[in-house]
Amino acid sequence: MPTDESSRVAVVTGGSRGIGRATARRLARDGVAVVVGYAGDRAEAEAAVREITGAGGRAVAVRADVADERAAAGLFDAAQSSFGGTDIVVHAAGKMGLAPVAELDLSVLDALYRTNVRGTFVVAQQAVRRMRDGGAIILFSSSVVGLAFPGYAAYSATKGAVEALTLVLARELRGRDISVNTVAPGPTATDLFFEGKDEETVSALAAQPPLERLGTPADIADVVAFLAGPGHWVNGQVLRANGGIV
């Protein structure tokens, strides 16, 4: 793996919006070249690339269904052809669907599983096969896995699967100097978080942490940037970046 930050390359899924976009900007600010992976919103992905390149960074946007192994491979193909390889993989793409267990449409469960579980596994598989030694893989869970909010059973179950994968994958990468960690944000001010929530619900969630505010995408991006950095001793962990919610 290159030791010079300006020679490192990251693939960031879900990079067109929210936490993924903030992470792409943060890594680019550190000198990392970024492949901005997106599912469908080309305009937002290209806007993210313009933000990065306008600030002097290097980035390209690539469309990919993360649950499709051929499409996911295309993210790494782009990293190779545009920047010479992959050193960091940040899998921020995800889907949310909320309903009590008794009322959940099973097609919603299938969609959550496909993106959050299969998609994570596919991206992790491609990362292991394609990235250079000495890098970092950062996956995403959610603090709702521990908080056990009613209505979040299906979503929490898919994120629990990501947490189960984390340490196993870290151990499978013994000898390659590649760390694997998962970030589990608490309530964070993204479009996905605000969707379907009234002002009272948002205020109640913001009041839960001792820091008494919602997280921001930049808060989470800073955590990712730390985990993506070379030479640290954090591996196989789930880091609950949630402002102190138990």
Side-chain angles (χ1 to χ4, degrees):
M1 174 181 173
T3 55
D4 180 1
E5 287 288 281
S6 65
S7 299
R8 301 171 78 216
V9 181
V11 169
V12 180
T13 70
S16 65
R17 300 174 63 193
I19 291 170
R21 186 163 173 169
T23 295
R25 288 197 304 264
R26 177 66 171 79
L27 293 175
R29 197 169 77 227
D30 289 344
V32 177
V34 182
V35 174
V36 177
Y38 69 99
D41 197 333
R42 178 178 177 180
E44 286 298 320
E46 291 180 345
V49 168
R50 287 195 299 273
E51 289 172 358
I52 292 169
T53 57
R58 298 168 296 152
V60 295
V62 178
R63 183 173 183 173
D65 173 359
V66 294
D68 181 326
E69 59 270 34
R70 291 172 295 277
L75 295 168
F76 295 86
D77 292 341
Q80 182 68 45
S81 61
S82 297
F83 306 118
T86 303
D87 306 291
I88 301 162
V89 174
V90 181
H91 181 50
K95 187 182 289 290
M96 181 181 286
L98 306 179
V101 171
E103 300 170 15
L104 184 73
D105 186 326
L106 292 180
S107 67
V108 173
L109 178 65
D110 291 341
L112 289 174
Y113 177 87
R114 186 178 189 279
T115 297
N116 296 352
V117 181
R118 179 183 168 88
T120 298
F121 198 95
V122 166
V123 170
Q125 185 178 70
Q126 290 297 320
V128 170
R129 292 174 177 175
R130 302 288 298 275
M131 66 191 295
R132 295 182 283 216
D133 291 356
I137 298 172
I138 298 100
L139 309 176
F140 271 83
S141 177
S142 170
S143 285
V144 299
V145 172
L147 295 170
F149 291 147
Y152 281 78
Y155 178 71
S156 295
T158 65
K159 291 303 186 178
V162 176
E163 295 190 7
L165 170 65
T166 305
L167 183 55
V168 174
L169 184 58
R171 288 176 171 171
E172 288 180 353
L173 287 169
R174 176 182 293 274
R176 291 189 57 188
D177 192 27
I178 295 175
S179 62
V180 183
N181 293 288
T182 288
V183 179
T188 305
T190 64
D191 291 343
L192 184 64
F193 168 79
F194 287 119
E195 188 174 324
K197 294 183 177 69
D198 58 27
E199 187 174 338
E200 183 179 358
T201 299
V202 171
S203 296
L205 289 169
Q208 283 191 325
L211 298 178
E212 296 186 323
R213 66 172 177 86
L214 295 177
T216 67
D219 289 328
I220 308 305
D222 285 342
V223 174
V224 174
F226 162 71
L227 294 173
H232 63 71
W233 192 233
V234 182
N235 191 24
Q237 303 302 308
V238 177
L239 200 162
R240 304 207 179 282
N242 61 23
I245 302 175
V246 176

